[in-house]
Amino acid sequence: MNNLGITFVATALMLALFFFLVRYDRHRAVTAQVGFFRRNGALVGTYLVLGVGIWMLFTFIMPMVFMVDLSFHHKLPPSKVGGPEDVYTLDNYRMFLFGSTTSTDSLNWLHLRSFFMTIFISILITLVTFAIAYPLAYYMAQVARMQVLRLLLLLLVIPYWVNDILRAFAFRIVMAENGFLNQFLQGIGLTHGPIDFLGQNIALYVALCYSHLLLMTFPLYNAIEAQDHNQIEAARDLGAPWWHIHLFVVMPHAKPGIASGMTLCFMLTAGAVATPMVLGGPNSLWFTPIVYDRFYQLFDWPQGAAYAIVLLLACIAFVFGVLKLTGLKLGEITK
Amino acid sequence: MNAQKINSALVSLYLVLFFLFLLGPLLVMAVSAFNTPSYPQVWPIRGVTLNWFVQLFHDKEMLEGLRTSVVIGVSVSILSVAMGLAGALVMTQLFGTSRAYYYFLVVAPVLIPGIVLGIATVVFWRDFTGLLGLRSLLYNGTVLTILAQSSFVSSYCMLIILARLQRFDVSQEEAALDLGASYPQVFRDVLLPYLRPAILSSAMLGFLTSFENYNATTFAILADKTLTTVLASRVRMGSSPVISALATVIVVLTILAALMFEWVKRREQRRQWSREKEARESERLETA
Amino acid sequence: MTSAIELEKVRITFGTFTAVHETDLQIRDGEFFSFLGPSGCGKTTLLRTISGFVQPSSGHVRIGGADMAGIGPNKRPTALIFQNLALFPMMSVAENVAYGLRVRGVGKSEREARALKLLDQVALSPHAHKKVSALSGGQKQRVAIARALAVEPKVLLLDEPLSALDLKLRQHMRRELREIQQRVGITFIYITHDQGEALNMSDRIAVMNAGRIEQVGHGREIYANPQSAFVASFVGESNVIPGRVAAVGNGLAHVETPLGRLAGRVGLGPDGSAPIALSAGDEAQLFVRPEQIRLVAPDQPRPACGFGARLRDLSFEGSMTHLELDAGLGMPCNASFMTSNAGALPEIGTDLALQFDPLDAIVLRQEGRAA
Ligand SMILES: Nc1ncnc2c1ncn2[C@@H]1O[C@H](COP(=O)(O)OP(=O)(O)OP(=O)(O)O)[C@@H](O)[C@H]1O
Ligand SMILES: [Mg+2]
């Protein structure tokens, strides 16, 4: 069976599982349920089925299944696809681990290091972003007066809709060798020569943090805002020191917001394409450009798919890690 | 007293630093858009010019990219609202295990890196359009980008609409039915007007998200060009104040849009307040 | 007289839970009919079954003689006023009222004219173009009524429509509802857990408890002749005195109770005309209302139907004075009097002699221990 065949079968299985579950739930339901088309009418019912069906099947499930399937194939010219040479293989993953499709002698340090550095730095950036955003979110949610709050929200929205490339570009201007920041630091006599922010990837990390600051701030703000201010006052009256209040009163309550901000921030940082492209120094090896190169330098799509899946697995692991750590459900962090 | 003063000074300092970090780079970039040197710089100011803006508006490639971006943005926004709305409505009709399964599937696109979605879309649609014999029609960057972006923008739209839907009072729907409305009429007259604010804001968000998206787009766009991909290639080639000029335009538009949004919101709120005041007034007369 | 609504062996279950047990009921044309019962007894469920939102698990619902099985709420000649009113916030007052006409395809100018006329009837025409959020609670109430009447239903169903209003307004709306009903002449089915409301407005009342209709009848009838222990204590208040029937005769039953031998009328059976068959030796309960109990002055001889009790508490509530008595029943016994300024009130802790007229008391068979 070819890739598409596999994709259709797997998708059909997922659909079948869904309908089975629906039947099962209906069977267990307490109240008699009105049938779907009776409940919605033929017109709206058809719209709902088509809307969800097209969205899920054609833009999400089938492409994902296809990509997973493709990652277990060799790169072949179109004429040979589906032919006797089109066999399942782990070579693309072996390539990621060992740098060669045949030997397993030495690890593929170049890619592995890049992968783990990306994950590690993304986690660090997520934590730093949280540390920067938390006080502001708390201030806006619990302290600021209405007028101040409106102003702050307005100021926050402005950078939100500037895209990643322009943000990165702004940092390139600010942090270039003869850029504003170096001029400024030398001007006030703090440094003597220019600092190579770009070459040392400092600009990259700062810009990644900058890019996702707001994505961290908004969920945090929403979560902290939902807390009753009296609880915090009560803790303060009881003489709890400020760090204690934040750690044991505010943060547990804001847990879903924290988890959701961190998840978003991590995922977008690890999966960032634009920022590393614009700001990556010569020795930067963010993982996404490597994936990009599989596709548009080597034109080896199966291998690119395998690399993308590796990245996806890391993100899934992170999400599940966060859920496990916080004891939350998926529904609570995607509000 | 003194501790409090120090405290509030620290808070102010933090706020100033935060917003300096947030807005400073944009400000520096905006200033460089008005400075004459052809390498974007802020200091020294060699002369004030609007030249870079003029160049921007004569930049064929950028304008072309802008057009594609708008086409994609509008399509994504329409598609995603339609699909996200359907997704949210179906969610309210599911229970138990099937609901959990469904929820997992429909929010997953939000939790998957854009580049993965972009790649998946390209590889699948290359073969799928081949199978359908529609490759010449559908297998192009604009269509693929619309598809790739729709998968996760729809999830955003669904989450926004769902949040409002969960506060919906079902007896409204029942009241309309009871008065003789058919199901499609209930949908049109009661549910849609109720969801209107959420639909509008998700359409807006969908457009903006699509407009500024790069991660999924860069894979799915193939030979076509959107504003962001044009920008990306320019930035890769080198720095130019034209790019600063573009960023400045975007920032100004954002500010205007935000102010307008705020104004509309306040007006609506004032109307609501005056209605509530009126209600309280007649309440008082009634019980007097 | 024809039946507007007929329930035949209707039973409603949610999964394994039975919300309404098998019920037969006929509601007459043009009647103001109330369901009275405590929270959770199945009133709303029954109403939603009539309006078509809930399907009975078995049995038939007929409206105007036609079986409603398989007919959706939008095709039934009923209109429901929801507990929370469920007005449409995005429409103006007039649009709300005209909505039922709009979905029936009535032209714009005609439906506007009819909406205005209805609004006029509930004194709201000056507010026709406001949004509903600009109205007070009572005004919203009237919009809901006008909206329901606009579709000219055969039956108007009202689910505790006054519960959200404050006391004074509630009293006013009771009168108004009754007037509207008499003017339009259609059947009103009214749900409430407030007995004052039910007794005050209804032609007939069905008293419900735990998914069963315990008694149907005129308010006075139910008050005077409760047919079950539940009705006796839920509609008005009753003291319950358990005992064993000693003798029956002349429509009276003499009951041997812990308070001595007392007597009361033999209660009526389910059909409401014949008394139940009680005979000596049956376990029974005697019900007597607090306001039927009288104090016997200390110098008078102890009457035939009297008992002694110790005064435990006394509360003065303006026109009425309530006594809480300990008669040795294991639960307090209550008595109420019109407050009289002449004569001193008894001291708490004193022993009192009390009596009641046997014609004011009811004797029913002990429930749950029937043979
Ligand atoms: N859809 C449903 N699924 C399961 N149980 C239900 C459902 N609707 C009602 N019930 C149950 O049926 C019983 C009767 O409910 P109903 O709403 O009819 O009571 P009610 O008499 O109207 O009470 P209230 O005065 O509180 O409105 C309740 O125990 C309720 O929990
Ligand atoms: Mg109820």
Side-chain angles (χ1 to χ4, degrees):
Chain A
M1 214 175 348
N2 67 1
N3 306 19
L4 278 174
I6 298 271
T7 305
F8 294 146
V9 169
T11 309
L13 285 179
M14 291 182 74
L15 266 181
L17 174 60
F18 175 69
F19 286 117
F20 170 76
L21 288 177
V22 169
R23 280 204 67 120
Y24 171 72
D25 287 327
R26 263 178 195 261
H27 188 68
R28 275 193 332 171
V30 183
T31 51
Q33 310 248 313
V34 187
F36 181 77
F37 281 97
R38 216 169 138 219
R39 161 87 182 70
N40 298 294
L43 202 69
V44 177
T46 310
Y47 155 64
L48 294 182
V49 169
L50 282 183
V52 175
I54 291 177
W55 169 27
M56 275 291 113
L57 297 183
F58 289 100
T59 77
F60 182 57
I61 295 177
M62 295 214 284
M64 292 300 283
V65 174
F66 189 91
M67 181 182 73
V68 172
D69 183 59
L70 183 69
S71 75
F72 294 103
H73 285 270
H74 282 124
K75 177 191 172 190
L76 288 172
S79 58
K80 291 193 178 161
V81 171
E85 287 167 54
D86 198 358
V87 290
Y88 280 97
T89 172
L90 286 173
D91 279 355
N92 296 315
Y93 294 93
R94 206 175 283 148
M95 175 74 195
F96 171 67
L97 290 174
F98 304 109
S100 146
T101 52
T102 47
S103 125
T104 54
D105 289 345
S106 61
L107 292 173
N108 182 0
W109 277 119
L110 192 65
H111 292 175
L112 285 177
R113 193 184 53 140
S114 148
F115 176 73
F116 285 111
M117 277 299 277
T118 301
I119 302 303
F120 174 69
I121 290 177
S122 295
I123 292 176
L124 274 189
I125 288 179
T126 303
L127 294 176
V128 170
T129 309
F130 172 73
I132 299 177
Y134 179 83
L136 181 78
Y138 178 80
Y139 177 81
M140 291 200 311
Q142 296 285 348
V143 184
R145 278 173 299 121
M146 199 59 200
Q147 299 299 328
V148 180
L149 181 64
R150 276 170 192 267
L151 179 70
L152 293 186
L153 281 173
L154 197 65
L155 287 178
L156 282 178
V157 168
I158 295 166
Y160 192 80
W161 293 117
V162 176
N163 77 42
D164 277 351
I165 295 169
L166 291 176
R167 288 177 191 157
F169 180 71
F171 273 92
R172 194 152 90 187
I173 299 176
V174 174
M175 294 179 124
E177 194 160 340
N178 55 352
F180 182 73
L181 191 60
N182 270 323
Q183 288 176 343
F184 179 75
L185 289 177
Q186 288 167 44
I188 61 170
L190 217 61
T191 55
H192 295 296
I195 300 174
D196 187 9
F197 290 115
L198 290 171
Q200 298 300 321
N201 286 327
I202 295 172
L204 170 63
Y205 303 148
V206 173
L208 281 172
C209 177
Y210 177 93
S211 287
H212 306 126
L213 197 50
L214 296 170
L215 284 171
M216 181 69 93
T217 311
F218 287 126
L220 277 181
Y221 165 71
N222 285 331
I224 300 176
E225 201 210 6
Q227 184 164 34
D228 187 359
H229 191 67
N230 291 329
Q231 279 180 21
I232 298 165
E233 287 295 314
R236 191 166 293 147
D237 284 346
L238 292 174
W242 63 268
W243 57 268
H244 194 277
I245 293 176
H246 284 283
L247 216 51
F248 295 107
V249 180
V250 183
M251 286 195 197
H253 187 273
K255 213 161 65 175
I258 296 175
S260 128
M262 289 215 175
T263 309
L264 267 181
C265 184
F266 173 82
M267 191 203 86
L268 289 171
T269 309
V273 183
T275 320
M277 190 191 78
V278 179
L279 291 173
N283 55 358
S284 137
L285 268 181
W286 206 252
F287 191 63
T288 48
I290 295 178
V291 181
Y292 188 92
D293 287 349
R294 305 294 106 189
F295 266 81
Y296 292 116
Q297 296 291 321
L298 305 176
F299 292 99
D300 188 345
W301 288 19
Q303 207 180 89
Y307 276 53
I309 287 168
V310 169
L311 181 65
L312 176 62
L313 290 178
C315 287
I316 293 175
F318 184 86
V319 172
F320 277 100
V322 166
L323 293 181
K324 196 98 207 146
L325 265 179
T326 53
L328 295 168
K329 286 208 203 62
L330 186 61
E332 291 172 285
I333 66 165
T334 46
K335 285 242 169 70
Chain B
M1 193 63 221
N2 225 350
Q4 218 165 30
K5 250 185 204 154
I6 293 173
N7 211 341
S8 74
L10 277 178
V11 169
S12 307
L13 183 69
Y14 161 78
L15 284 178
V16 168
L17 286 179
F18 186 99
F19 282 97
L20 206 63
F21 177 50
L22 204 62
L23 302 174
L26 298 181
L27 202 67
V28 166
M29 184 161 58
V31 171
S32 76
F34 293 96
N35 202 356
T36 41
S38 65
Y39 184 86
Q41 66 179 52
V42 194
W43 196 257
I45 291 180
R46 293 259 154 75
V48 177
T49 174
L50 289 178
N51 194 16
W52 308 121
F53 288 90
V54 175
Q55 272 194 31
L56 173 68
F57 289 114
H58 286 103
D59 190 322
K60 284 248 165 51
E61 206 188 10
M62 285 229 198
L63 291 178
E64 188 60 28
L66 176 68
R67 235 197 48 203
T68 316
S69 283
V70 170
V71 169
I72 292 175
V74 169
S75 316
V76 166
S77 156
I78 292 172
L79 266 180
S80 301
V81 167
M83 301 194 299
L85 175 64
L89 290 171
V90 168
M91 176 91 74
T92 57
Q93 296 178 23
L94 290 174
F95 307 93
T97 341
S98 54
R99 187 193 174 96
Y101 178 74
Y102 176 79
Y103 189 82
F104 175 78
L105 283 181
V106 292
V107 300
V110 175
L111 300 172
I112 291 176
I115 95 169
V116 176
L117 287 171
I119 291 170
T121 307
V122 175
V123 295
F124 169 69
W125 282 87
R126 184 183 61 171
D127 280 25
F128 189 57
T129 50
L131 181 75
L132 297 177
L134 293 173
R135 189 170 285 179
S136 58
L137 188 68
L138 293 180
Y139 188 67
N140 67 61
T142 308
V143 173
L144 289 194
T145 306
I146 291 172
L147 290 168
Q149 292 183 351
S150 296
S151 73
F152 66 93
V153 175
S154 296
S155 296
Y156 285 126
C157 293
M158 187 211 65
L159 289 172
I160 295 174
I161 293 171
L162 191 65
R164 185 159 172 90
L165 204 52
Q166 273 162 349
R167 279 176 284 136
F168 180 64
D169 171 14
V170 187
S171 62
Q172 297 255 321
E173 213 172 76
E174 294 184 340
L177 267 184
D178 190 61
L179 291 169
S182 63
Y183 282 105
Q185 277 170 331
V186 174
F187 184 72
R188 188 194 64 199
D189 299 336
V190 179
L191 203 57
L192 278 188
Y194 172 79
L195 291 177
R196 216 176 76 117
I199 288 175
L200 287 182
S201 56
S202 62
M204 186 84 181
L205 185 99
F207 179 81
L208 293 175
T209 308
S210 159
F211 194 82
E212 64 126 41
N213 181 272
Y214 180 72
N215 293 358
T217 310
T218 181
F219 283 90
I221 197 65
L222 303 180
D224 290 349
K225 288 182 174 118
T226 68
L227 190 60
T228 38
T229 59
V230 171
L231 261 178
S233 60
R234 288 294 173 77
V235 171
R236 219 171 345 186
M237 282 188 313
S239 301
S240 153
V242 175
I243 299 168
S244 303
L246 176 66
T248 311
V249 171
I250 291 181
V251 168
V252 169
L253 287 180
T254 311
I255 295 176
L256 286 181
L259 285 175
M260 204 167 79
F261 184 71
E262 182 79 10
W263 180 71
V264 169
K265 213 168 65 181
R266 282 197 186 197
R267 201 182 52 168
E268 187 45 44
Q269 197 157 53
R270 266 202 304 276
R271 282 194 188 152
Q272 186 59 33
W273 278 339
S274 80
R275 273 189 225 127
E276 276 163 19
K277 207 177 120 201
E278 195 176 343
R280 275 196 303 276
E281 187 63 21
S282 36
E283 195 97 25
R284 207 174 50 77
L285 285 175
E286 207 160 59
T287 50
Chain C
M1 195 160 280
T2 54
S3 289
I5 295 210
E6 195 181 338
L7 305 183
E8 187 193 320
K9 295 197 166 63
V10 167
R11 209 167 63 89
I12 306 160
T13 54
F14 296 118
T16 55
F17 172 72
T18 304
V20 176
H21 297 271
E22 195 170 292
T23 295
D24 285 292
L25 182 70
Q26 279 164 11
I27 298 172
R28 295 170 200 141
D29 235 351
E31 195 171 24
F32 197 119
F33 190 93
S34 294
F35 284 99
L36 173 64
S39 194
C41 70
K43 307 179 298 281
T44 300
T45 305
L46 207 48
L47 204 69
R48 290 171 63 81
T49 309
I50 295 173
S51 55
F53 291 110
V54 174
Q55 301 299 319
S57 317
S58 62
H60 299 277
V61 177
R62 295 195 189 84
I63 301 179
D67 196 328
M68 288 289 128
I71 296 185
N74 46 1
K75 298 274 190 292
R76 297 192 181 195
T78 56
L80 177 58
I81 292 184
F82 289 75
Q83 209 156 353
N84 64 356
L85 304 183
L87 297 176
F88 305 129
M90 58 282 175
M91 300 183 196
S92 74
V93 169
E95 283 167 347
N96 260 283
V97 176
Y99 185 74
L101 301 172
R102 185 172 133 202
V103 296
R104 279 172 174 70
V106 175
K108 192 170 161 68
S109 53
E110 189 188 340
R111 64 174 192 250
E112 271 174 10
R114 275 163 71 180
L116 273 179
K117 205 167 136 207
L118 276 163
L119 284 172
D120 209 27
Q121 289 180 15
V122 291
L124 277 178
S125 37
H127 305 282
H129 298 291
K130 287 184 184 163
K131 286 264 188 280
V132 283
S133 58
L135 301 186
S136 70
Q139 289 170 333
K140 283 183 190 149
Q141 188 69 64
R142 292 201 286 259
V143 175
I145 294 168
R147 184 178 73 175
L149 290 177
V151 299
E152 297 180 346
K154 285 203 184 115
V155 181
L156 188 68
L157 309 165
L158 304 100
D159 190 353
E160 308 201 17
L162 306 185
S163 55
L165 303 183
D166 74 14
L167 186 66
K168 211 165 156 182
L169 203 57
R170 206 150 63 209
Q171 308 242 328
H172 174 76
M173 286 303 294
R174 278 186 194 176
R175 227 172 308 133
E176 201 163 310
L177 271 178
R178 189 67 228 213
E179 274 169 29
I180 291 173
Q181 197 258 341
Q182 273 154 5
R183 195 167 61 229
V184 296
I186 60 171
T187 311
F188 272 38
I189 300 184
Y190 189 93
I191 282 192
T192 180
H193 60 246
D194 176 334
Q195 46 163 309
E197 235 165 72
L199 294 171
N200 177 271
M201 293 197 284
S202 330
D203 296 320
R204 285 196 306 155
I205 299 171
V207 182
M208 283 190 75
N209 181 32
R212 284 195 170 77
I213 294 182
E214 300 237 338
Q215 187 169 356
V216 182
H218 294 280
R220 287 186 64 89
E221 215 172 278
I222 287 176
Y223 190 80
N225 288 309
Q227 288 164 12
S228 70
F230 173 78
V231 176
S233 359
F234 189 75
V235 182
E237 228 185 302
S238 277
N239 294 301
V240 187
I241 305 165
R244 191 178 290 277
V245 177
V248 183
N250 245 348
L252 289 186
H254 298 267
V255 185
E256 206 58 64
T257 75
L259 309 185
R261 183 182 277 228
L262 299 173
R265 275 184 299 129
V266 179
L268 300 182
D271 62 354
S273 52
I276 52 175
L278 274 180
S279 50
D282 286 348
E283 300 238 30
Q285 285 177 316
L286 187 142
F287 299 91
V288 58
R289 300 196 180 276
E291 63 271 23
Q292 317 285 18
I293 296 178
R294 287 191 300 277
L295 266 176
V296 182
D299 47 343
Q300 276 176 16
R302 189 183 163 134
C305 200
F307 60 97
R310 172 164 296 171
L311 181 59
R312 277 239 302 256
D313 198 7
L314 183 148
S315 66
F316 168 68
E317 281 178 13
S319 62
M320 296 297 277
T321 303
H322 301 282
L323 309 189
E324 190 184 310
L325 305 160
D326 180 5
L329 285 174
M331 54 185 169
C333 173
N334 298 304
S336 314
F337 308 99
M338 289 296 288
T339 304
S340 137
N341 294 331
L345 285 168
E347 295 276 317
I348 289 176
T350 54
D351 286 324
L352 302 173
L354 300 131
Q355 71 162 117
F356 57 88
D357 183 338
L359 290 176
D360 285 334
I362 291 281
V363 179
L364 295 173
R365 196 187 302 279
Q366 174 88 7
E367 276 166 29
R369 291 199 205 157

